Amino acid sequence: MTVLLNDPVTRTQAYFDGEWRAGARTFEVIHPGTLEPIGAVADCTADDARRAIDAAEEALRAWRQVNPYQRGQILRRWHDLMFEHKEELARLMTLEMGKPITETRGEVHYAASFIEWCAEEAGRISGERISMRQNRKRGFTNAEPVGIVYAVTPWNFPAGMITRKAAPALAAGCVMILKPAEQSPMTALYLAELWLQAGGPANTLQVLPTNDAPAFSAPFMADERVRKLTFTGSTAVGRLLYTQAAQTLKRVSLELGGHAPFLVFEDADLEKAAREVVGSKFRNAGQTCISTNRIYVQRAVAEEFTAILTRLTGKLVLGDPLLDGTGVGPVVEQAGLDKIQAQVQDALQRGARATVGGTVKEGLYFHPTVLTDVHPDSLILREETFGPVAPVVPFDTEEEALRLANASEYGLAAYAYTRDLGRAWRVAEALEYGIVGINDGVPSAGAPHVPFGGMKNSGVGREGGHWGLDEYLETKFISMGL
Ligand code: NAD
């Protein structure tokens, strides 16, 4: 079958069981910037899911036998095609979920970097020779693909959250069935199209959008042939899928919510710390799992820091995400905006003050906001905001800062700014988070080879680097008597 690039059909039809399929029903994808529909995408059903699993079973038999260096070559072509179509991909992501175009261009690089790393690593997947206690025996391990993988991804990184899963899975010799977020299915379909163009065999990467995630997911969770679930999204849904996956004892990777604290000590470079807070907080309009959610500043510098943060935040350009000059775009949908407004109202009612922002501009556009005098019981200090609001809270001692930072059910990312080397180590080790940035507000940027994942209610397992690849490999022990 010929797959035409630039053919919008292949961005709206599902790809499974060897064909692009329109589906009996469709659902609309809305551009958050204008609230206009940009396409109607196939709405896949539980029957489609079963067909995809059957097709995956057959595809797996061949794909796991393909020489890993050859798998790596196909991945490399996939990576190159993403760059050939960088502008289209970036535009599509911006249209689907409203992230500013300069950021979606960056996401193409970020997403492709996982493919590149796995393309290089595929040929290095191997085993070990183990010395045995008996001279007449030889021991070995074999690294083998886990099998059929079911992937469920969110809208906030429409390409990155897919390649961070698909690249290691395909490099390992697994096949993947992907259910993208309902807000951003077309980016996922475009990636499937490029995978086929790169020479990816039929049904090794199937992409099925749906508007009814629970009903569509049920066959995967019940099927013994699906050996792994990989999920990125909210903690509530992750917990639900974890329970369901237990019935067939699937391998599970969960990348869930976060509530990142950012600690600023009095010896920090305040201007630099504030710049990094702005990046970490307002990138993607705050809709990032590692977004700074709570800013704790040592009391002696709290006022000065807040003034710098307010000045920098006030300079951010809120507007059309398709324009190059835009720094902050709309949030993805009304439910997200409602949550942001509820958190801001709650904080204001408890005595907080907005030094900048605090209101909706229009549609789904919320002004970048800094809040001070935030009461400790405020919702915003406990719940993930997923919006452009930065609450600043003073602290007195290092011990207090760590207690506040760790008082969360989440454990994904945390940041601290200090020039005291001893404190830097103490704080890095005491923070109960999977990712810690010391004088670094973007620890994962441009780093497909580092582990990404959370502790506590932020997840299970790691993506990126060999940790991410291991999630798709079984370790088989082989003992041979002579
Ligand atoms: P969400 O949990 O609502 O949706 C994520 C995915 O799950 C979507 O594809 C959705 O269709 C699907 N889904 C929803 N209910 C389902 C069900 N009952 N059965 C099967 N699938 C179901 O999350 P969201 O609002 O789309 O994404 C934002 C969340 O993702 C935030 O909490 C954010 O922190 C988290 N996130 C985490 C990471 C990470 O790496 N830890 C990265 C990005 C986003």
Side-chain angles (χ1 to χ4, degrees), residues 150 152-157 161 164 179-183 210 213-214 217 231-238 240-241 244 254-258 287-290 333 384 386 412 452-454 458 463:
Y150 178 48
V152 179
T153 52
W155 48 266
N156 64 343
F157 286 87
M161 296 303 101
R164 210 162 73 176
K179 189 213 85 56
E182 1 348 8
Q183 296 88 345
T210 181
S217 284
F231 171 79
T232 298
S234 62
T235 296
V237 175
L240 179 75
L241 295 178
Q244 294 175 359
L254 304 171
E255 297 284 349
L256 309 178
Q287 304 168 111
T288 299
C289 53
I290 57 171
E333 59 194 5
E384 195 178 31
F386 246 53
L412 186 56
F452 189 107
S458 287
E463 294 188 324

Side-chain angles (χ1 to χ4, degrees), residues 343-366:
Q343 286 194 6
V344 170
Q345 279 315 313
D346 168 77
L348 295 175
Q349 272 161 17
R350 293 176 197 264
R353 215 162 33 86
T355 57
V356 60
T359 54
V360 173
K361 182 181 175 195
E362 57 175 327
L364 296 176
Y365 294 84
F366 196 86

